Amino acid sequence: MARLTFFAVIYCVLVLSHSLIPGVKATTFTVVNKCDYVVWPGILSNAGIPTLSTTGFTLQIGETRIITAPTSWGGRFWGRTHCSQDSTGKFSCLTGDCGSGKLECSGNGAAPPATLAEFTLNGFGGLDFFDVSLVDGYNIPMLVSPQGGTGQNCTYTGCVYDLNGSCPSELKVMSTDGRDGVACKSACEAFSQPQYCCSGEYGTPDTCKPSSYSEVFKTACPRAYSYAYDDKTSTFTCANADYTITFCPSPNTSQKSSQEQTTTQAQNTGTTTTTSPLINSTIVYEGGLDDSAASPSTCTHVFGSHAIAGIVGITMAIWWSWQLF
């Protein structure tokens, strides 16, 4: 009888400890197309991480698709544009093409320039780390909005502004008929110079600084990565969140998302939060950034209460079970 009770206690302890670890549940990505054109999203899992149920699909105007990612998944989403299929059945896109020749990217990444949404789920301290990156250039407006998550730096990020029209001529990628800009290269892609690529003698945060070209991206989209070492204002963290990825969001979408997120966090914590807008010439971004929010000390704070409760519970249960013998 004691042995059966012992195993029953151990089983309960395992279930309890699993439920107390942040980030163990599957994460849902809701991908939304608010563009006035079709988008073909691509997905690439990080090395050694299992692929998701799809690696590329069609998203019609106004369409939404929900994708579930397992615990600790990491990878990136992007949008392909101006895609078509030739007479041989080969699928290709003018921007964001992954080179697979098919709708599914099947382990291939986006050819730059492409706007990227990057995720590491259940990382340090049980937190999700995410960003929107223009390091490989830009091709489509994108917004990442956490849903239901918590944390001091758990808020939306992205690039809502359409950079294709204002892209410097030396970085601009033109449509096949030469009439419109369809993407904007990074300076690294355009010039292959180490000072723009943060390589060689410029391969550290101290030696690689923002350029006039990366500042074009940063001014328009202050929360997105504009160059390789743009970490301080461009990395965000959440605990136990799902995410909405929106192509071509309107300014009102970003404001509403931020306001809802701030209200939810204030209700959860019982605190009052004052937001300060981040402004460029076109978009008002609601919600200020906490420069220290992504530090290891903050991660430990978020994780701490769950971990301590789990450890105490496990310790007490094991001690009690041994008393039965």
Side-chain angles (χ1 to χ4, degrees):
M1 183 66 177
R3 183 175 296 275
L4 289 175
T5 304
F6 172 75
F7 285 117
V9 169
I10 293 300
Y11 174 78
C12 292
V13 167
L14 291 174
V15 171
L16 174 65
S17 63
H18 187 269
S19 67
L20 291 171
I21 299 173
V24 298
K25 70 178 184 65
T27 298
T28 297
F29 292 100
T30 302
V31 187
V32 183
N33 180 15
K34 291 193 174 181
C35 302
D36 58 3
Y37 49 86
V38 180
V39 176
W40 291 264
I43 306 173
L44 175 67
S45 298
N46 292 340
I49 302 296
T51 60
L52 301 185
S53 58
T54 180
T55 59
F57 55 95
T58 303
L59 204 60
Q60 299 291 338
I61 299 171
E63 188 178 3
T64 295
R65 179 153 177 177
I66 297 175
I67 297 169
T68 300
T71 303
S72 303
W73 181 82
R76 57 183 56 180
F77 292 76
W78 70 95
R80 294 171 287 177
T81 65
H82 302 276
C83 301
S84 60
Q85 196 170 37
D86 66 17
S87 58
T88 67
K90 181 181 179 181
F91 180 84
S92 63
C93 304
L94 189 55
T95 80
D97 189 68
C98 58
S100 66
K102 300 177 181 179
L103 181 61
E104 295 275 347
C105 285
S106 304
N108 294 338
T115 312
L116 305 175
E118 302 174 314
F119 295 87
T120 298
L121 304 181
N122 192 29
F124 182 84
L127 294 176
D128 300 339
F129 290 76
F130 62 97
D131 64 81
V132 169
S133 174
L134 308 181
V135 175
D136 288 342
Y138 167 98
N139 71 328
I140 189 171
M142 181 188 290
L143 181 73
V144 174
S145 303
Q147 307 296 324
T150 59
Q152 293 180 359
N153 205 22
C154 184
T155 186
Y156 76 93
T157 184
C159 189
V160 181
Y161 184 60
D162 188 350
L163 292 172
N164 291 330
S166 60
C167 180
S169 59
E170 58 269 39
L171 304 182
K172 187 172 290 189
V173 177
M174 302 301 294
S175 59
T176 52
D177 60 12
R179 294 181 180 179
D180 301 307
V182 296
C184 192
K185 295 180 181 179
S186 67
C188 175
E189 174 72 12
F191 309 122
S192 299
Q193 297 293 320
Q195 65 268 32
Y196 298 129
C197 299
C198 294
S199 59
E201 61 181 308
Y202 296 94
T204 69
D206 292 331
T207 57
C208 192
K209 302 299 182 182
S211 68
S212 59
Y213 294 107
S214 70
E215 289 291 355
V216 171
F217 291 160
K218 197 64 177 178
T219 300
C221 305
R223 294 194 173 193
Y225 264 87
S226 59
Y227 77 107
Y229 293 113
D230 192 14
D231 303 87
K232 190 175 182 181
T233 60
S234 304
T235 301
F236 299 85
T237 55
C238 287
N240 299 316
D242 294 313
Y243 298 91
T244 298
I245 301 171
T246 306
F247 296 110
C248 302
S250 66
N252 291 335
T253 300
S254 67
Q255 292 176 15
K256 181 180 179 182
S257 172
S258 178
Q259 290 166 354
E260 289 176 347
Q261 184 70 23
T262 301
T263 301
T264 300
Q265 292 183 16
Q267 290 172 345
N268 290 341
T269 61
T271 61
T272 301
T273 303
T274 302
T275 61
S276 57
L278 298 174
I279 305 174
N280 64 30
S281 60
T282 307
I283 306 300
V284 178
Y285 294 85
E286 297 284 345
L289 293 176
D290 182 350
D291 289 342
S292 64
S295 66
S297 61
T298 300
C299 297
T300 303
H301 174 74
V302 173
F303 178 68
S305 61
H306 297 283
I308 291 171
I311 292 170
V312 170
I314 292 170
T315 302
M316 291 299 295
I318 292 176
W319 176 84
W320 176 66
S321 67
W322 279 110
Q323 304 307 306
L324 298 176
F325 285 97

